[in-house]
Amino acid sequence: MKNRHETTGAAARAFALVAALVLSLGTACEALSRPRCVDLNTATAAELQGIRHVGAERARQIIALRVEQPFTSVDELRRVEGIGDARLREIVAEGRACVPQPDSAGGASGS
């Protein structure tokens, strides 16, 4: 038969384990709920249409514009007909559109 200290210790360990699992699940759910980055320079037309205020025509424009000159920031969406300051603010607030910047190793980062 277990004494009171053994039972309390086991309960504390079980509580700590459950708390750690709950925190891990919360972090995983938060990561899954974040919108995926849609790279303005590489996304397909269908992927671009996942960005707020971008339908088939604006997706076509984005693709045509990036062929001429790749986007260096999301702010350059002003180059697209019909995207002004107000729409751009909403697009930026949504957090889906991105232009990954090269890192010091010559690769690309996530934003």
Side-chain angles (χ1 to χ4, degrees), residues 20-98:
L21 287 171
V22 168
L23 289 173
S24 296
L25 287 173
T27 302
C29 289
E30 181 183 325
L32 289 173
S33 68
R34 284 188 207 125
R36 185 177 62 82
C37 169
V38 177
D39 184 339
L40 298 177
N41 290 317
T42 63
T44 65
E47 290 169 331
L48 289 167
Q49 289 178 59
I51 299 170
R52 185 175 188 164
H53 298 302
V54 177
E57 177 57 26
R58 287 194 180 123
R60 187 197 63 70
Q61 287 181 48
I62 291 168
I63 291 169
L65 288 167
R66 75 185 187 201
V67 168
E68 294 173 21
Q69 179 181 345
F71 290 87
T72 59
S73 74
V74 174
D75 289 344
E76 289 186 3
L77 280 173
R78 286 186 187 99
R79 294 169 33 198
V80 177
E81 187 177 325
I83 296 181
D85 291 340
R87 283 196 173 132
L88 181 61
R89 276 192 301 275
E90 291 177 0
I91 290 168
V92 169
E94 179 187 41
R96 287 193 57 113
C98 69

Side-chain angles (χ1 to χ4, degrees), residues 28 70 79 100-101 109:
R79 294 169 33 198
Q101 301 298 314
S109 65

